[in-house]
Amino acid sequence: ERLDQIVRHFETAGHQLAGCSADVTDTASATRAIRSLTGQLGEMDLLINNVGTSSRFGILQAGAGDYQAAFRTNVLSAVNCTLASVAQLQHRRGSVVNIASLAAKTAWPFVAPYSTSKAALAAFTHQLRMELDPAIHVLLVCPGPIRRADSGTRYGLQTAGMPAAANQPGAGVRLNGIDPQRLAKMILRAVERRKAELVVPAWARLAFALGQLSPRLGDWLLRRFGAGGSAAASANTNRANASDDRSDLTVSSDLESEQTVL
Protein backbone atom coordinates (compact mmCIF):
# COMPACT_ATOMS: atom_id res chain seq x y z
CA GLU A 1 0.00 0.00 0.00
CA ARG A 2 2.79 2.43 0.87
CA LEU A 3 4.57 1.63 -2.38
CA ASP A 4 1.40 2.27 -4.38
CA GLN A 5 1.05 5.64 -2.67
CA ILE A 6 4.61 6.58 -3.61
CA VAL A 7 4.07 5.59 -7.23
CA ARG A 8 0.82 7.56 -7.45
CA HIS A 9 2.46 10.60 -5.86
CA PHE A 10 5.23 10.77 -8.45
CA GLU A 11 2.98 9.88 -11.36
CA THR A 12 0.77 12.83 -10.38
CA ALA A 13 3.89 15.01 -10.60
CA GLY A 14 4.50 13.81 -14.14
CA HIS A 15 7.16 11.15 -13.52
CA GLN A 16 7.13 7.64 -14.96
CA LEU A 17 7.45 5.05 -12.22
CA ALA A 18 6.85 1.37 -11.73
CA GLY A 19 6.59 -0.35 -8.35
CA CYS A 20 7.02 -4.00 -7.46
CA SER A 21 6.79 -5.62 -4.02
CA ALA A 22 9.24 -8.49 -3.59
CA ASP A 23 11.23 -10.45 -1.03
CA VAL A 24 14.69 -9.57 -2.31
CA THR A 25 16.31 -11.97 0.15
CA ASP A 26 14.91 -14.74 -2.08
CA THR A 27 16.81 -15.21 -5.35
CA ALA A 28 13.81 -16.10 -7.50
CA SER A 29 11.66 -13.29 -6.10
CA ALA A 30 14.42 -10.70 -6.61
CA THR A 31 15.00 -11.86 -10.18
CA ARG A 32 11.29 -11.63 -10.99
CA ALA A 33 11.16 -8.11 -9.56
CA ILE A 34 14.08 -6.91 -11.67
CA ARG A 35 12.56 -8.44 -14.81
CA SER A 36 9.16 -6.93 -14.05
CA LEU A 37 10.49 -3.43 -13.51
CA THR A 38 12.87 -3.36 -16.45
CA GLY A 39 10.12 -4.84 -18.61
CA GLN A 40 8.01 -1.80 -17.81
CA LEU A 41 10.71 0.88 -17.82
CA GLY A 42 13.50 -0.40 -20.06
CA GLU A 43 17.09 -1.38 -19.28
CA MET A 44 18.69 -0.37 -16.02
CA ASP A 45 21.24 2.42 -15.54
CA LEU A 46 21.46 2.37 -11.76
CA LEU A 47 20.84 -0.22 -9.05
CA ILE A 48 20.76 0.97 -5.43
CA ASN A 49 20.77 -1.84 -2.88
CA ASN A 50 19.21 -0.08 0.11
CA VAL A 51 17.39 -2.87 1.94
CA GLY A 52 18.64 -3.29 5.48
CA THR A 53 17.82 -4.24 9.05
CA SER A 54 19.53 -3.43 12.32
CA SER A 55 19.25 -4.66 15.90
CA ARG A 56 20.69 -4.24 19.37
CA PHE A 57 22.38 -7.06 21.28
CA GLY A 58 25.23 -7.47 23.71
CA ILE A 59 27.95 -9.56 22.07
CA LEU A 60 27.21 -12.56 24.33
CA GLN A 61 23.47 -12.44 23.70
CA ALA A 62 23.42 -12.43 19.90
CA GLY A 63 22.98 -15.99 18.65
CA ALA A 64 23.58 -17.59 15.28
CA GLY A 65 19.98 -16.85 14.24
CA ASP A 66 20.52 -13.13 14.80
CA TYR A 67 23.57 -13.15 12.55
CA GLN A 68 21.74 -15.20 9.92
CA ALA A 69 18.83 -12.74 9.89
CA ALA A 70 21.21 -9.79 9.49
CA PHE A 71 23.16 -11.48 6.69
CA ARG A 72 20.00 -12.52 4.87
CA THR A 73 18.65 -8.98 4.73
CA ASN A 74 21.80 -6.88 4.58
CA VAL A 75 23.93 -9.04 2.29
CA LEU A 76 21.89 -11.59 0.34
CA SER A 77 19.41 -8.94 -0.85
CA ALA A 78 22.29 -7.06 -2.49
CA VAL A 79 23.77 -10.24 -3.92
CA ASN A 80 20.45 -11.31 -5.45
CA CYS A 81 19.56 -7.95 -6.99
CA THR A 82 23.07 -7.33 -8.28
CA LEU A 83 23.42 -10.70 -9.98
CA ALA A 84 20.01 -10.23 -11.60
CA SER A 85 21.06 -6.83 -12.97
CA VAL A 86 24.67 -7.27 -14.11
CA ALA A 87 23.95 -7.96 -17.79
CA GLN A 88 21.85 -4.83 -18.21
CA LEU A 89 24.22 -2.65 -16.22
CA GLN A 90 27.15 -3.80 -18.32
CA HIS A 91 25.28 -2.99 -21.53
CA ARG A 92 24.35 0.47 -20.24
CA ARG A 93 27.68 1.15 -18.47
CA GLY A 94 25.61 1.63 -15.34
CA SER A 95 26.27 1.71 -11.59
CA VAL A 96 25.72 -0.51 -8.57
CA VAL A 97 25.39 1.37 -5.26
CA ASN A 98 25.50 -0.62 -2.03
CA ILE A 99 24.33 1.23 1.09
CA ALA A 100 26.46 0.02 4.00
CA SER A 101 27.26 2.01 7.16
CA LEU A 102 30.12 3.37 9.20
CA ALA A 103 29.63 0.06 11.02
CA ALA A 104 30.98 -1.68 7.91
CA LYS A 105 34.37 -0.16 8.76
CA THR A 106 34.58 -0.60 12.51
CA ALA A 107 33.09 -2.36 15.53
CA TRP A 108 30.81 -0.62 18.02
CA PRO A 109 29.03 -1.88 21.15
CA PHE A 110 25.57 -3.48 20.89
CA VAL A 111 25.49 -3.91 17.07
CA ALA A 112 27.55 -7.06 16.41
CA PRO A 113 25.19 -8.80 13.90
CA TYR A 114 24.60 -5.49 12.10
CA SER A 115 28.24 -4.43 11.83
CA THR A 116 29.37 -7.94 10.88
CA SER A 117 26.82 -8.12 8.05
CA LYS A 118 27.63 -4.60 6.83
CA ALA A 119 31.32 -5.53 6.77
CA ALA A 120 30.37 -8.49 4.60
CA LEU A 121 28.44 -6.15 2.29
CA ALA A 122 31.56 -3.98 2.01
CA ALA A 123 33.62 -7.06 1.12
CA PHE A 124 31.06 -8.08 -1.52
CA THR A 125 31.22 -4.57 -2.98
CA HIS A 126 35.00 -4.79 -3.19
CA GLN A 127 34.71 -8.14 -4.95
CA LEU A 128 32.39 -6.56 -7.49
CA ARG A 129 34.92 -3.80 -8.19
CA MET A 130 37.67 -6.37 -8.65
CA GLU A 131 35.78 -8.83 -10.86
CA LEU A 132 33.03 -7.10 -12.81
CA ASP A 133 33.55 -5.60 -16.23
CA PRO A 134 35.09 -2.12 -15.67
CA ALA A 135 32.15 -0.74 -17.64
CA ILE A 136 30.07 -1.25 -14.47
CA HIS A 137 30.69 1.38 -11.81
CA VAL A 138 30.47 0.12 -8.20
CA LEU A 139 30.02 2.46 -5.22
CA LEU A 140 30.04 1.63 -1.50
CA VAL A 141 28.23 4.18 0.70
CA CYS A 142 29.10 4.24 4.42
CA PRO A 143 26.99 6.84 6.25
CA GLY A 144 26.60 7.50 9.93
CA PRO A 145 23.15 7.54 11.58
CA ILE A 146 20.37 8.90 9.37
CA ARG A 147 18.02 11.52 10.76
CA ARG A 148 14.57 9.98 11.20
CA ALA A 149 11.37 10.55 13.14
CA ASP A 150 11.71 7.46 15.37
CA SER A 151 15.33 8.03 16.43
CA GLY A 152 15.85 7.01 20.03
CA THR A 153 12.73 4.82 20.19
CA ARG A 154 13.23 2.15 17.51
CA TYR A 155 14.85 -0.44 19.73
CA GLY A 156 12.81 -0.13 22.91
CA LEU A 157 11.84 -3.82 22.97
CA GLN A 158 15.43 -4.96 22.53
CA THR A 159 17.27 -2.62 24.87
CA ALA A 160 15.55 -3.30 28.21
CA GLY A 161 18.28 -3.55 30.83
CA MET A 162 20.91 -2.13 28.49
CA PRO A 163 22.64 1.27 28.78
CA ALA A 164 20.63 4.18 27.38
CA ALA A 165 23.15 4.58 24.55
CA ALA A 166 22.00 1.28 23.02
CA ASN A 167 18.63 2.80 22.09
CA GLN A 168 20.15 5.90 20.51
CA PRO A 169 20.99 6.39 16.80
CA GLY A 170 24.19 4.54 15.99
CA ALA A 171 24.01 2.90 19.44
CA GLY A 172 25.17 6.16 21.00
CA VAL A 173 27.86 7.22 18.54
CA ARG A 174 28.60 10.93 18.93
CA LEU A 175 27.49 12.06 15.49
CA ASN A 176 24.70 14.32 14.34
CA GLY A 177 22.00 12.60 12.29
CA ILE A 178 22.51 12.95 8.54
CA ASP A 179 19.75 14.62 6.54
CA PRO A 180 18.54 11.92 4.09
CA GLN A 181 17.94 14.44 1.30
CA ARG A 182 21.49 15.75 1.61
CA LEU A 183 22.86 12.21 1.63
CA ALA A 184 20.85 11.34 -1.50
CA LYS A 185 22.42 14.29 -3.34
CA MET A 186 25.89 13.24 -2.21
CA ILE A 187 25.28 9.71 -3.49
CA LEU A 188 24.09 11.05 -6.84
CA ARG A 189 27.23 13.19 -7.20
CA ALA A 190 29.40 10.19 -6.30
CA VAL A 191 27.66 8.13 -9.01
CA GLU A 192 28.14 10.90 -11.57
CA ARG A 193 31.86 11.02 -10.69
CA ARG A 194 32.02 7.22 -10.61
CA LYS A 195 33.65 7.19 -7.18
CA ALA A 196 34.46 3.89 -5.48
CA GLU A 197 33.45 4.89 -1.95
CA LEU A 198 31.52 7.55 -0.07
CA VAL A 199 32.01 7.88 3.70
CA VAL A 200 29.85 10.38 5.61
CA PRO A 201 31.16 12.21 7.57
CA ALA A 202 34.34 12.27 5.50
CA TRP A 203 36.65 12.77 8.50
CA ALA A 204 35.76 9.25 9.70
CA ARG A 205 38.05 7.91 6.96
CA LEU A 206 41.04 9.16 8.96
CA ALA A 207 39.92 7.26 12.06
CA PHE A 208 39.46 4.10 9.99
CA ALA A 209 42.91 4.53 8.41
CA LEU A 210 44.53 4.91 11.85
CA GLY A 211 42.72 1.78 12.99
CA GLN A 212 44.17 -0.14 10.05
CA LEU A 213 47.67 1.08 10.86
CA SER A 214 47.33 0.24 14.55
CA PRO A 215 44.35 -1.77 15.80
CA ARG A 216 45.16 -0.84 19.41
CA LEU A 217 45.20 2.85 18.52
CA GLY A 218 41.94 2.40 16.61
CA ASP A 219 40.27 0.76 19.61
CA TRP A 220 41.54 3.52 21.90
CA LEU A 221 40.11 6.19 19.60
CA LEU A 222 36.73 4.42 19.52
CA ARG A 223 36.58 4.29 23.31
CA ARG A 224 37.54 7.95 23.54
CA PHE A 225 34.78 8.67 21.05
CA GLY A 226 32.19 6.97 23.22
CA ALA A 227 32.35 3.21 22.65
CA GLY A 228 32.53 2.43 26.39
CA GLY A 229 33.77 -1.07 27.03
CA SER A 230 32.45 -1.01 30.61
CA ALA A 231 28.95 -0.17 29.38
CA ALA A 232 29.06 -3.06 26.94
CA ALA A 233 30.28 -5.42 29.64
CA SER A 234 27.51 -4.23 31.95
CA ALA A 235 24.91 -4.90 29.27
CA ASN A 236 26.22 -8.42 28.76
CA THR A 237 26.10 -9.07 32.50
CA ASN A 238 22.58 -7.68 32.90
CA ARG A 239 21.26 -9.78 30.04
CA ALA A 240 23.20 -12.97 30.71
CA ASN A 241 20.05 -14.81 31.77
CA ALA A 242 17.97 -13.68 28.78
CA SER A 243 16.13 -16.29 26.76
CA ASP A 244 18.08 -18.00 23.99
CA ASP A 245 15.06 -17.74 21.73
CA ARG A 246 15.61 -14.45 19.85
CA SER A 247 12.92 -14.95 17.21
CA ASP A 248 10.66 -12.17 18.55
CA LEU A 249 13.53 -9.69 18.57
CA THR A 250 14.57 -10.66 15.07
CA VAL A 251 11.06 -10.13 13.76
CA SER A 252 10.72 -6.77 15.49
CA SER A 253 13.96 -5.35 14.05
CA ASP A 254 13.11 -2.20 12.13
CA LEU A 255 14.14 -1.78 8.53
CA GLU A 256 16.64 0.96 7.81
CA SER A 257 14.74 1.41 4.58
CA GLU A 258 11.69 -0.34 3.22
CA GLN A 259 12.12 -3.35 0.95
CA THR A 260 10.99 -1.28 -1.98
CA VAL A 261 12.19 -1.30 -5.57
CA LEU A 262 11.43 1.76 -7.70
Side-chain angles (χ1 to χ4, degrees):
E1 182 180 349
R2 290 180 62 190
L3 179 58
D4 290 340
Q5 291 173 353
I6 293 171
V7 171
R8 288 195 297 270
H9 171 78
F10 283 97
E11 285 180 338
T12 301
H15 300 285
Q16 182 185 5
L17 262 71
C20 179
S21 297
D23 177 5
V24 291
T25 68
D26 177 76
T27 301
S29 178
T31 301
R32 285 194 299 270
I34 297 296
R35 289 175 178 171
S36 171
L37 293 170
T38 54
Q40 298 175 70
L41 297 174
E43 286 192 322
M44 185 185 302
D45 294 297
L46 172 64
L47 170 67
I48 301 179
N49 289 309
N50 193 40
V51 173
T53 187
S54 59
S55 57
R56 296 290 189 268
F57 295 105
I59 187 65
L60 299 183
Q61 280 64 57
D66 302 306
Y67 286 89
Q68 289 171 344
F71 269 76
R72 185 170 59 249
T73 303
N74 296 341
V75 183
L76 294 185
S77 62
V79 172
N80 288 334
C81 291
T82 301
L83 295 182
S85 307
V86 163
Q88 296 185 51
L89 291 169
Q90 182 173 344
H91 182 248
R92 300 281 294 184
R93 301 185 63 84
S95 297
V96 177
V97 177
N98 289 335
I99 307 298
S101 165
L102 294 183
K105 299 288 189 178
T106 185
W108 193 261
F110 316 122
V111 294
Y114 176 73
S115 62
T116 304
S117 63
K118 288 296 189 178
L121 179 62
F124 174 65
T125 307
H126 197 180
Q127 289 294 142
L128 293 175
R129 293 207 310 269
M130 290 293 98
E131 298 191 55
L132 288 183
D133 188 312
I136 302 177
H137 163 237
V138 180
L139 170 66
L140 178 70
V141 180
C142 296
I146 308 299
R147 192 180 306 161
R148 48 188 295 159
D150 60 355
S151 293
T153 61
R154 297 175 64 196
Y155 304 102
L157 293 177
Q158 296 185 18
T159 56
M162 300 176 72
N167 199 32
Q168 297 303 309
V173 64
R174 296 175 185 174
L175 290 174
N176 293 327
I178 301 169
D179 174 42
Q181 296 296 331
R182 173 174 170 266
L183 179 61
K185 292 177 181 178
M186 295 175 71
I187 294 171
L188 179 58
R189 286 197 298 270
V191 170
E192 292 171 340
R193 297 170 184 173
R194 299 181 82 82
K195 293 180 64 174
E197 190 170 275
L198 174 65
V199 176
V200 184
W203 59 260
R205 298 176 65 91
L206 176 59
F208 299 148
L210 291 174
Q212 288 294 311
L213 290 172
S214 172
R216 288 185 182 275
L217 174 61
D219 291 352
W220 180 84
L221 287 172
L222 285 175
R223 292 190 177 98
R224 292 285 293 178
F225 199 62
S230 59
S234 173
N236 285 325
T237 300
N238 291 341
R239 295 171 62 86
N241 296 321
S243 169
D244 290 334
D245 181 5
R246 315 303 301 184
S247 59
D248 289 343
L249 296 184
T250 299
V251 171
S252 67
S253 298
D254 292 326
L255 289 180
E256 293 173 343
S257 55
E258 298 298 328
Q259 297 190 24
T260 301
V261 181
L262 290 179

